[in-house]
Amino acid sequence: AGRNERRTALAGTVRKTRCHISPYIAMCPMNDFQQYKVFVVDDDAAVRDAVSMLLGAAGYKVVAFAEPEAFLAACAADCDGCLILDVSMPRMDGPTLQQELLKRSIRLPIIFLSGHGTIQTSVRAIKAGAVDFLTKPVDGAKLLTCVQDALQAWQQFKKRSGETAQTAQRLSNLTDRER
C-alpha cells in the first residue's frame, strides 16, 4: 500500500508540470526490463524531471541529460536500454544526435518527444530507426507503453546480436575441411 501511495503522490507532482502525465503510474505493473537504463535527453528541465519521475516510479533506471553532448560523452557502444530524445534543442537537435549515434554504431531504440515536430521530421526520424515519435504534452500511459516496446525490441536485438556472434565464433573454430 505504501508503494502505491508513493506512486500516486509522484503522479500528482508530475501532473503539475508541462508534461501533463496522468496518475497511470499508480497502476503500472513492474516490468521485466528493469536491468536496462532509460536515457532521457531534453533541454527543458521540467519535462526532463517529469519524464524521469514517471519512469522511475514505474521501476525503470533513469539517466537524464540536459544536453546531447553530455549524453554522447557518457554513452558508449555497449549502453543498454533505450533513449527518450527531444527533437528541438539549442546546440544539437534530436535528429542530429540520432545520426551521430548511428555513426558511432550505438543502436539504442529511440523515442522522440516533440513540442514542435513536423510530419517531415517525424518521418525522417522513423526512417532512421526511431521506435516512436510522440508529441508534448505526452500521455504517461502512452510513453510507458512505448518505453516497454522499445526495451523489448532492444532485448530482441541483443539476443540476435549474441546469436550472430556465437555463430561467427563457431564458424571460426571450424577447420578448413569442416567448412
Side-chain angles (χ1 to χ4, degrees):
R3 185 176 183 169
N4 281 340
E5 288 170 1
R6 183 173 54 93
R7 284 184 175 179
T8 303
L10 274 174
T13 302
V14 171
R15 196 177 27 234
K16 294 174 187 170
T17 68
R18 289 179 19 189
C19 259
H20 302 289
I21 297 172
S22 71
Y24 173 79
I25 59 174
M27 302 175 294
C28 185
M30 293 314 222
N31 56 68
D32 297 329
F33 304 111
Q34 292 173 348
Q35 73 269 23
Y36 301 117
K37 292 179 183 172
V38 179
F39 300 96
V40 178
V41 180
D42 198 313
D43 62 319
D44 185 330
V47 173
R48 191 174 59 249
D49 293 345
V51 169
S52 296
M53 275 196 273
L54 171 73
L55 295 168
Y60 292 104
K61 296 175 190 170
V62 182
V63 183
F65 299 90
E67 300 172 345
E69 297 85 0
F71 170 72
L72 282 172
C75 187
D78 61 350
C79 282
D80 264 348
C82 72
L83 172 60
I84 298 174
L85 181 58
D86 185 20
V87 171
S88 299
M89 292 178 280
R91 288 191 293 272
M92 178 189 293
D93 66 7
T96 303
L97 176 59
Q98 182 184 32
Q99 292 305 313
E100 184 61 31
L101 291 172
L102 291 172
K103 285 180 193 171
R104 296 180 185 202
S105 298
I106 299 173
R107 305 279 185 234
L108 289 175
I110 298 174
I111 300 165
F112 276 98
L113 291 182
S114 177
H116 314 290
T118 64
I119 292 172
Q120 181 182 10
T121 303
S122 64
V123 168
R124 199 169 54 236
I126 297 295
K127 282 185 174 181
V131 175
D132 215 327
F133 195 98
L134 304 175
T135 57
K136 296 176 188 177
V138 65
D139 175 65
K142 176 68 174 165
L143 181 60
L144 289 171
T145 299
C146 287
V147 167
Q148 187 163 359
D149 292 347
L151 291 175
Q152 187 172 17
W154 177 250
Q155 190 176 48
Q156 291 170 354
F157 171 76
K158 295 289 279 185
K159 182 180 177 187
R160 282 192 309 273
S161 296
E163 290 170 354
T164 301
Q166 188 178 38
T167 301
Q169 177 64 35
R170 287 180 181 166
L171 285 173
S172 70
N173 290 336
L174 294 176
T175 64
D176 288 337
R177 183 175 178 190
E178 291 172 325
R179 290 180 202 185

